[in-house]
Amino acid sequence: MRDMLEARIAGERDPRRLAGLARGAMKAKHAALVEALTGRFDDHHAELARMLLDQIDTLNAQIARLTTRIDDLLVTIIDERSDPVPSDDQDAARDESGLTTIERLDEIPGVGRAAAQIILAEVGPDMTVFPRPRTWCRGRNCARAPSSPGRSSAAAEPARATPTSRECSARPPPQPPRQTPSSANATGE
């Protein structure tokens, strides 16, 4: 798609030639591409497309730069089983299994690299600051930890959820109201 846009910006207007630049699965849709690429596209459109592509390239470069910076900072975090790691020594941040903290979190189904970075930024790698599992995630949208027999749930004071924990917490889908036999009769069903 990018090649077709770049060719249009460079002045190519023939839909068949533009469709010939398709790659991968788009090659099989040659006729549909020719039809889609037929129409008005003048120098004004080319100028706007160039500006948008440049903007996309700039944002992608900034994302790559920030991702590298995040990775460098995460290497320096004190792991629960190691000393502070200098940022130039990537191997020292690895545990006995040969994985970094991010890679270990990334192994969890549903947790990708970005989510692992968010977890470490919010919680940190030192889990000893949480005396019980229920103190790790608090708030109305967090799953409750299994209660221990003989312990009162009122003993733990609930903490307020941070804005980020509210956004990241899983919310169950809304359930339709259940009809009881008495309410079904009242509605005439």
Side-chain angles (χ1 to χ4, degrees):
M1 186 68 164
R2 176 77 182 233
D3 292 340
M4 289 183 268
L5 282 171
E6 292 288 354
R8 275 203 147 177
I9 291 168
E12 181 62 57
R13 301 292 184 254
D14 181 18
R16 294 189 193 288
R17 285 190 192 159
L18 290 167
L21 297 172
R23 296 185 199 169
M26 290 181 73
K27 276 188 168 187
K29 303 173 184 179
H30 185 78
L33 279 173
V34 170
E35 184 180 343
L37 293 167
T38 302
R40 275 192 350 205
F41 189 92
D42 57 24
D43 291 338
H44 172 72
H45 298 111
E47 183 181 2
L48 293 176
R50 169 65 7 202
M51 289 170 54
L52 292 172
L53 289 178
D54 289 346
Q55 202 172 20
I56 290 169
D57 292 341
T58 300
L59 292 173
N60 283 335
Q62 289 174 345
I63 290 169
R65 197 168 62 237
L66 287 173
T67 300
T68 301
R69 178 75 174 131
I70 289 168
D71 288 341
D72 290 345
L73 289 172
L74 287 174
V75 169
T76 63
I77 291 178
I78 300 172
D79 200 344
E80 60 268 14
R81 41 176 127 0
S82 68
D83 293 327
V85 179
S87 61
D88 59 340
D89 190 6
Q90 294 279 341
D91 292 331
R94 299 184 183 280
D95 65 359
E96 300 83 34
S97 65
L99 299 174
T100 64
T101 306
I102 293 290
E103 290 166 342
R104 286 196 329 260
L105 287 170
D106 190 20
E107 288 183 329
I108 301 170
V111 176
R113 189 167 186 81
Q117 291 171 342
I118 291 170
I119 290 169
L120 281 177
E122 287 290 322
V123 178
D126 184 15
M127 295 304 288
T128 61
V129 298
F130 303 104
R132 293 180 304 280
R134 72 175 52 186
T135 59
W136 184 70
C137 181
R138 291 185 175 173
R140 62 185 171 90
N141 295 324
C142 294
R144 296 189 181 261
S147 60
S148 303
R151 296 200 81 186
S152 169
S153 61
E157 291 182 28
R160 295 182 184 197
T162 64
T164 304
S165 68
R166 276 190 222 111
E167 293 168 9
C168 293
S169 62
R171 293 188 175 111
Q175 299 293 322
R178 283 184 35 188
Q179 284 195 344
T180 60
S182 62
S183 66
N185 291 339
T187 58
E189 293 178 3

